[in-house]
Amino acid sequence: MFDICKIRADFPIFQEEIYGKPLIYLDSGATSQRPRQVVDKMTEYYLRYNSNVHRGVHYLSNICTDANEEARRVVQQFVHAASEKEIVFTRGTTESINLVAYTFGEAFIGEGDEILVTEMEHHANIVPWQMLCERKGAKLKVVPFNEAGELDLAAFERLLTDRVKLVGVAYVSNVLGTVNPVETIIRKAHAVGARVLIDGAQAVQHIAVDVQALDCDFFVFSGHKIYGPTGVGVLYGKEELLEQMPPWQGGGEMIREVRFEKTTYNELPFKFEAGTPDFIGIIGLGEALKYVNAIGLPEIASYEHALLAYAMRQIKEVPGMRIFGEAACKSSVISFAVGDIHHSDMGVLLDKMGIAVRTGQLCAEPVMQHYGVTGMVRASLGMYNTEEEIDILCGGIKRVAKMFGIG
Ligand code: PMP
């Protein structure tokens, strides 16, 4: 059962006041809040069990190692990967994509090859590929989207030649909220022999993911957007592919044997985990996923779907409202502008009412260019948001609009 009161009670931050007003947190797309269970678990490990993982023989080290590896199994089950070896812990989505760009790039990308991304990607799914293209003499190509914020699939098919070695696409756009047809994209890319990386940063907290059913080659996400801690993220990669990729960072843990003549590398997934991992963060992420599992992603998805539909209806009532992204399949994010009110004026004035929204380029400058704007205001939802909060947001936006003579 989805019990919103119980869920909100798990998040102590909702007892906080901002300028004497209740916090209306509509910035979960940037980072979610964390439930007490996650912070308690991490505190327990810091205060009672702290000890470095994987290298100790002693009691505490074994406890942390076991908890770290248990979290890996939780992640494996959460995305339904075939093996724990396919789950690499990183610092977040950005690091996961960079890891793939370096190591997959090293093994599989050469001069004249092409990498395909979309016009709606977060910078994290653009810049590492541009850097790779520069290193290798490869070419980055871009699939455009239409006014509604949906990918132009005909253009995708035209761009998808047998030179394309990798397609990088967001499951859910962090600006438009579009849920992209990743199944179709993956199937078509595989038909020309290209691999596919799905940026799941805005998806895993809203949509149940099955990497085997999707058949994606890589899937990446961040802990801090799914009610877990900052500084920890996940790279899922197909085992056969990860095996063929060279390691990225060198150091402790990623080696089997170090000799000055020749060093050999550890097995998966440790080959990609050089140095001391943020094991307490990893344990916290495992706890966050257990928290989400206990509520149930299908339940979360249907609650959020209804909330988003309500929010879209209400927000459209605001005079001068322009919404960016009205895809038929949309999730959790509403980006907008009102008249010619500057996005940061809107953000600052809403903040004074206790309403936290994000403003600016939203780490997606190509999307801003597409619409010819310098920035947007973005309200993004988490499972703890309510219709009352949407009403307060819309009331707040109307007040700001009035101040600027709109409505
Ligand atoms: N991709 C998308 C779609 C995102 O929304 C974000 C975070 N805003 C990222 C990548 C980068 O995530 P992180 O900063 O946690 O590495």
Side-chain angles (χ1 to χ4, degrees):
M1 267 298 287
F2 190 89
D3 182 344
I4 186 70
C5 295
K6 191 163 167 296
I7 290 168
R8 285 181 71 82
D10 286 336
F11 291 80
I13 204 159
F14 294 125
Q15 263 102 67
E16 296 293 319
E17 293 196 331
I18 307 294
Y19 312 116
K21 302 184 178 69
L23 166 65
I24 310 291
Y25 189 74
L26 294 167
D27 197 19
S28 294
T31 197
S32 64
Q33 299 301 338
R34 289 107 187 110
R36 189 188 296 283
Q37 288 85 337
V38 168
V39 180
D40 283 352
K41 184 78 168 188
M42 292 172 72
T43 306
E44 185 190 3
Y45 273 78
Y46 271 122
L47 298 183
R48 296 190 57 197
Y49 305 123
N50 180 54
S51 180
N52 207 337
V53 289
H54 294 142
R55 22 193 116 170
V57 290
H58 61 79
Y59 181 82
L60 291 180
S61 176
N62 287 334
I63 288 193
C64 283
T65 304
D66 288 350
N68 189 88
E69 293 311 307
E70 203 228 347
R72 199 186 305 274
R73 283 189 291 279
V74 172
V75 174
Q76 178 208 336
Q77 283 155 20
F78 191 78
V79 296
H80 199 234
S83 157
E84 290 157 48
K85 293 182 177 176
E86 299 181 317
I87 305 299
V88 176
F89 287 118
T90 63
R91 285 195 303 125
T93 304
T94 303
E95 191 174 75
S96 298
I97 298 174
N98 276 277
L99 192 161
V100 176
Y102 274 89
T103 67
F104 176 87
E106 194 55 38
F108 293 104
I109 303 294
E111 199 168 336
D113 285 342
E114 292 177 358
I115 291 165
L116 204 51
V117 295
T118 85
E119 194 187 2
M120 68 173 79
E121 297 309 306
H122 186 282
H123 295 160
N125 205 22
I126 299 175
V127 184
W129 305 119
Q130 285 179 319
M131 292 161 70
L132 170 62
C133 287
E134 265 180 38
R135 285 196 302 278
K136 294 285 184 169
K139 202 165 173 189
L140 189 71
K141 293 206 159 163
V142 184
V143 182
F145 63 83
N146 65 21
E147 274 312 286
E150 291 166 332
L151 286 179
D152 179 343
L153 290 179
F156 169 65
E157 294 204 31
R158 278 197 303 279
L159 290 164
L160 192 63
T161 65
D162 57 10
R163 288 191 164 184
V164 176
K165 295 289 177 292
L166 186 123
V167 177
V169 58
Y171 200 150
V172 175
S173 154
N174 68 311
V175 180
L176 308 168
T178 311
V179 182
N180 285 315
V182 288
E183 295 88 346
T184 309
I185 290 171
I186 292 164
R187 192 164 30 80
K188 297 209 154 138
H190 283 172
V192 300
R195 301 291 191 166
V196 182
L197 178 141
I198 303 294
D199 175 352
Q202 299 291 345
V204 280
Q205 61 282 54
H206 307 296
I207 301 169
V209 168
D210 182 331
V211 290
Q212 292 184 79
L214 286 175
D215 198 26
C216 54
D217 300 286
F218 302 104
F219 188 98
V220 299
F221 66 96
S222 300
H224 69 100
K225 295 185 201 279
I226 182 162
Y227 312 106
T230 48
V232 56
V234 171
L235 162 64
Y236 157 81
K238 280 184 182 159
E239 187 176 342
E240 45 99 11
L241 208 45
L242 293 179
E243 286 290 5
Q244 296 176 67
M245 288 154 48
W248 182 27
Q249 297 181 329
E253 216 49 58
M254 53 74 73
I255 48 87
R256 189 187 308 278
E257 243 180 25
V258 177
R259 298 289 179 273
F260 282 114
E261 300 72 41
K262 182 169 173 56
T263 286
T264 52
Y265 304 122
N266 206 342
E267 60 187 19
L268 292 175
F270 308 108
K271 178 172 98 176
F272 293 111
E273 294 183 351
T276 299
D278 182 358
F279 54 92
I280 295 198
I282 290 168
I283 294 165
L285 172 58
E287 197 63 21
L289 299 187
K290 285 186 201 166
Y291 181 85
V292 168
N293 282 336
I295 296 166
L297 260 175
E299 286 73 18
I300 293 172
S302 83
Y303 176 81
E304 289 180 347
H305 189 73
L307 188 61
L308 180 71
Y310 178 81
M312 286 290 278
R313 276 197 309 277
Q314 296 303 311
I315 212 163
K316 281 181 182 170
E317 301 288 308
V318 177
M321 175 61 66
R322 178 181 181 197
I323 307 240
F324 302 100
E326 297 210 54
C329 201
K330 181 174 162 93
S331 161
S332 66
V333 171
I334 304 178
S335 295
F336 62 90
V338 179
D340 56 3
I341 303 172
H342 195 273
H343 44 88
S344 53
D345 289 338
M346 177 64 79
V348 166
L349 290 164
L350 289 175
D351 173 57
K352 295 289 177 283
M353 304 174 207
I355 304 167
V357 291
R358 186 133 299 240
T359 62
Q361 298 173 329
L362 309 176
C363 290
E365 288 188 25
V367 180
M368 304 302 130
Q369 282 186 333
H370 178 107
Y371 290 104
V373 297
T374 59
M376 298 175 183
V377 186
R378 180 185 75 184
S380 54
L381 307 176
M383 64 163 127
Y384 32 55
N385 290 121
T386 63
E387 290 188 357
E388 294 76 63
E389 291 180 315
I390 300 299
D391 293 342
I392 294 170
L393 169 71
C394 293
I397 302 171
K398 282 181 192 157
R399 263 180 73 190
V400 176
K402 267 221 173 80
M403 287 179 210
F404 284 82
I406 301 171

